[in-house]
Amino acid sequence: MTGTTGPGSQRVKERAFMTRLQRRYILWLLALCCWPALAADRPNIILIITDDQGYGDVGAHGNNILKTPNLDALHAESVRLTDYHVDPTCSPTRAALMTGRDSTRTGVWHTINGRSMLAPDEYTLAEFLRDHGYQTAMFGKWHLGDNAPLRPVDQGFDYTVWHLGGGVGQGPDYFDNDYFDDTYIDNGTVKQFKGYCTDVWFEQAMGYMDTAKQGQQPFFIYLSTNAPHGPFIVDEKYSRPYKALGVPGQIANFYGMIENIDENLGRLRAWLKAQGLAENTLLIYTTDNGTARGNFRTNGEVQGFNAGMRAQKGSEYDGGHRVPFFIHWPAKGLDQGRDVDRLMQHIDVLPTLSELLGLPAPDEDKLQRGALDGSSQAVFWLGLKDLPQPEVRFVHSQRTSDPIKWRKSAVMTERWRLVNGKELYDIETDPGQQDDVASDHPDVVAKLTEAYEQWWGSLEPVFDEVVRIDLGGDENPTTLMSHDWLMEGAVFTAWNQSHVRSNALINGPFMVNVARAGRYRITPMRWPEYVDRPSGCIQASIEFSTTGFVGVEAWPVDPERPAGPVVVELPTGPATLTTTLTRADGKTFGAYYVKVELIEE
């Protein structure tokens, strides 16, 4: 009998081991050599998401006032998701779209108040695609955190041109931006751009793609416009035709902003065709919530168009969260014009793209905060299946510091909507959600209530968590803005430049993390550092609080000059930073801007 533990068997094992190593090495070399070809076969991806454009704000959806010829053409040549839902407001939708997870799980359930910042350990769509060989770039609106480690460059994007805050003209944005010839952040550098904001985003995206197409890697472009979000500013050549039709001023501007987006979409598609990129580019067009202004009234009568839906942005009814979603990819046959009437959500986009591109789904090592909530809808995008969907889906609009059970919520199936835990609507017979049939279907109410209870219970562990801004980390110095104060309840923070100009008497704490212990220079400011205006204050103070340490400093300031800094020693770890500026009349407010710099470790 031949033994199995002698020297001969050991040599056999060693030869087998070397053979496995050699095989792996050869496969690795083949993969390395073939990588450019494999990458070249993958589509480029352009994801366009507009801000506050509802389902009815598209000509092809039946809007007879708004002119969107290029969007209508894309609609005619795309797969259209006709029952696609997002969150009812900006940041939550973006958080879910970027992660494939319910927005609340990611730390995002508001647009301000420290609850619009995406947890840094979430694994984003940009990180996922970059890990699989894509060049990644973002243009426009991020609205998931302005400071490290929350910026788009921290969350998977190689190149970015973007504005801070939730919109141009909001507090974190460069002061006095007005949509024309504005100043944005160009890959970390503050830079002024010529032209209208939407034009800039598209021009910068095409400029980036012009360079990226010369490489061997495909690109992913996240083109996220701030339009048509307010303030409603656009060149009159776009709004004038609507005013001539009797459309009220702000609504005419809103429509004009969409027409400008449409014009840029046409320019982009023509450019892709001219560059030979159109065939193998996966182009997605969608929006972040229901219409902000399209569902307007004149003399008490509805004059706008909302595709027969109830309510608009911010609402738990379908008008608040059912939005357009067009998919155009000629190389895959997704260019023939086809409706997919299946309940889907923003959380499905990441897993669907993963399957559609033939990429492995993110593993547990990447999903540090938990599994994806969405599921792949690739077979439905491709038209391979048309089955009823048994899944129950959820949306809610919190806009408070701490989530409130059943607040502005909808539990959805393809047929039913349970709203706020009380009202039940049959979407098949009552898409406008006018006839509450809860009393007629107690079994449906009970079933959907049970589903919500389980979903809510799965969210509760994150309610006490806070997302923090780093001090002394990858971004040093860093400038904080009151937009991100963590305010209790539904109290609004000083989130807009109008609050700064009017000197709103509001204060709140920043939730921060000191990355490195040392001496820090902290400068509380009424105005941004680059705005040379007097503070009008006689005293500044800070309170820094962390476990086992509370530091308070106060010092006089010259009311005719910007407030000066103080130097303090800070320990590492999570902390709360609160600043106060005191006026000559004794009234106080929080410093809207705070510059923090590590000067010595």
Side-chain angles (χ1 to χ4, degrees):
M1 183 179 293
T2 304
T4 59
T5 58
S9 64
Q10 181 63 32
R11 284 193 295 271
V12 170
K13 290 180 180 179
E14 289 173 354
R15 285 197 298 271
F17 178 70
M18 290 304 297
T19 301
R20 289 196 299 271
L21 278 181
Q22 291 164 352
R23 187 183 300 118
R24 290 177 182 177
Y25 181 67
I26 292 170
L27 290 173
W28 179 80
L29 283 176
L30 287 171
L32 185 64
C33 294
C34 295
W35 168 251
L38 292 172
D41 291 337
R42 290 181 185 160
N44 298 309
I45 303 171
I46 303 174
L47 172 53
I48 301 174
I49 181 169
T50 65
D51 197 354
D52 287 2
Q53 180 184 8
Y55 191 90
D57 298 327
V58 177
H61 285 169
N63 192 319
N64 293 322
I65 303 173
L66 180 60
K67 305 302 180 186
T68 56
N70 295 297
L71 192 48
D72 297 349
L74 180 64
H75 173 275
E77 300 166 3
S78 295
V79 172
R80 290 95 54 155
L81 307 186
T82 60
D83 198 11
Y84 171 78
H85 297 258
V86 294
D87 283 276
T89 54
C90 311
S91 298
T93 288
R94 286 164 167 73
L97 182 66
M98 278 290 112
T99 64
R101 288 165 37 83
D102 283 315
S103 54
T104 304
R105 296 192 207 283
T106 73
V108 179
W109 55 80
H110 202 344
T111 56
I112 53 173
N113 285 18
R115 297 302 193 182
S116 63
M117 301 188 296
L118 180 68
D121 50 352
E122 287 287 351
Y123 189 57
T124 69
L125 176 60
E127 290 172 311
F128 171 70
L129 291 173
R130 187 172 66 181
D131 285 349
H132 289 286
Y134 275 79
Q135 304 169 77
T136 59
M138 193 215 87
F139 303 92
K141 172 171 174 169
W142 176 239
H143 205 181
L144 294 173
D146 297 330
N147 305 96
L150 315 172
R151 303 162 299 175
V153 69
D154 304 313
Q155 297 279 32
F157 289 100
D158 301 319
Y159 183 78
T160 58
V161 180
W162 60 304
H163 67 79
L164 303 181
V168 171
Q170 292 189 10
D173 184 37
Y174 197 84
F175 217 76
D176 289 332
N177 272 355
D178 63 0
Y179 284 49
F180 292 94
D181 300 336
D182 287 344
T183 299
Y184 307 123
I185 312 299
D186 181 356
N187 234 35
T189 300
V190 177
K191 177 181 175 181
Q192 186 177 20
F193 292 83
K194 292 293 183 182
Y196 183 65
C197 54
T198 305
D199 299 339
V200 170
W201 310 135
F202 276 83
E203 288 165 4
Q204 291 298 307
M206 286 185 281
Y208 175 85
M209 288 186 284
D210 194 41
T211 301
K213 68 182 175 63
Q214 300 172 29
Q216 295 180 324
Q217 297 173 274
F219 54 74
F220 166 55
I221 305 297
Y222 181 51
L223 212 172
S224 175
T225 70
N226 57 292
H229 191 288
F232 304 106
I233 303 170
V234 72
D235 191 298
E236 282 196 3
K237 70 178 182 180
Y238 297 104
S239 59
R240 189 182 302 116
Y242 298 106
K243 291 177 181 177
L245 294 173
V247 176
Q250 277 202 341
I251 314 304
N253 290 351
F254 176 76
Y255 279 172
M257 295 167 81
I258 295 174
E259 188 168 322
N260 172 263
I261 294 170
D262 182 81
E263 183 181 278
N264 275 288
L265 174 65
R267 186 179 298 118
L268 171 65
R269 295 194 67 195
W271 183 88
L272 289 170
K273 185 176 181 180
Q275 298 297 318
L277 298 174
E279 181 71 14
N280 199 32
T281 291
L282 171 55
L283 174 62
I284 294 174
Y285 187 100
T286 187
T287 76
D288 67 347
N289 47 243
T291 186
R293 287 293 184 273
N295 192 27
F296 67 93
R297 294 172 178 265
T298 301
N299 298 323
E301 295 184 6
V302 175
Q303 301 293 322
F305 178 77
N306 201 26
M309 294 186 294
R310 178 175 174 177
Q312 57 186 39
K313 173 183 177 177
S315 174
E316 59 272 40
Y317 298 100
D318 272 25
H321 47 82
R322 177 174 163 242
V323 300
F325 196 99
F326 304 156
I327 309 141
H328 178 77
W329 185 10
K332 200 73 170 180
L334 306 182
D335 60 347
Q336 301 302 307
R338 174 169 52 86
D339 288 338
V340 178
D341 187 22
R342 176 182 171 85
L343 182 65
M344 298 184 192
Q345 281 187 284
H346 44 18
I347 55 176
D348 299 322
V349 173
L350 194 160
T352 301
L353 288 177
S354 171
E355 181 175 355
L356 205 61
L357 300 174
L359 301 176
D363 58 31
E364 292 183 3
D365 290 340
K366 300 294 186 181
L367 301 175
Q368 299 177 36
R369 290 173 58 88
L372 300 181
D373 291 303
S375 57
S376 174
Q377 307 293 315
V379 292
F380 302 98
W381 287 22
L382 294 170
L384 302 178
K385 285 188 178 181
D386 185 16
L387 302 174
Q389 184 185 50
E391 297 179 53
V392 179
R393 299 299 186 101
F394 311 90
V395 296
H396 61 171
S397 181
Q398 289 292 334
R399 300 178 75 83
T400 61
S401 178
D402 299 302
I404 300 170
K405 196 173 186 179
W406 290 110
R407 175 178 168 82
K408 296 180 74 65
S409 61
V411 185
M412 304 182 293
T413 69
E414 290 196 333
R415 178 179 178 184
W416 302 104
R417 303 286 191 270
L418 178 65
V419 175
N420 299 328
K422 299 178 292 185
E423 306 165 24
L424 183 68
Y425 299 97
D426 185 341
I427 293 298
E428 292 182 357
T429 61
D430 179 28
Q433 296 177 277
Q434 299 298 315
D435 185 16
D436 178 6
V437 295
S439 60
D440 298 330
H441 300 277
D443 55 330
V444 175
V445 173
K447 181 179 179 180
L448 297 183
T449 298
E450 180 182 2
Y452 178 90
E453 292 283 356
Q454 293 178 0
W455 176 71
W456 183 263
S458 74
L459 299 180
E460 286 182 316
V462 307
F463 292 171
D464 293 331
E465 296 179 5
V466 294
V467 177
R468 297 178 182 273
I469 297 169
D470 276 357
L471 304 181
D474 291 339
E475 181 187 32
N476 184 50
T478 187
T479 298
L480 313 176
M481 203 276 153
S482 54
H483 176 283
D484 297 324
W485 286 337
L486 184 64
M487 307 292 286
E488 294 185 1
V491 177
F492 275 16
T493 182
W495 59 272
N496 198 283
Q497 291 180 15
S498 63
H499 296 123
V500 179
R501 293 190 184 93
S502 65
N503 196 196
L505 301 178
I506 308 173
N507 202 351
F510 292 107
M511 308 308 288
V512 298
N513 176 67
V514 180
R516 291 179 288 174
R519 298 177 70 237
Y520 282 79
R521 181 186 294 116
I522 301 178
T523 309
M525 299 175 287
R526 156 88 189 268
W527 305 96
E529 184 179 30
Y530 51 84
V531 175
D532 187 18
R533 301 180 191 177
S535 68
C537 298
I538 60 172
Q539 180 177 282
S541 67
I542 65 167
E543 179 178 323
F544 181 89
S545 178
T546 187
T547 303
F549 177 84
V550 177
V552 179
E553 295 280 347
W555 64 100
V557 297
D558 183 348
E560 300 301 319
R561 298 177 57 81
V566 65
V567 175
V568 295
E569 292 276 348
L570 299 182
T572 58
T576 300
L577 175 63
T578 306
T579 65
T580 303
L581 294 175
T582 303
R583 304 190 318 196
D585 61 6
K587 293 182 178 180
T588 64
F589 60 97
Y592 308 122
Y593 303 88
V594 183
K595 182 178 179 181
V596 184
E597 181 176 12
L598 173 65
I599 57 176
E600 184 181 352
E601 288 192 73

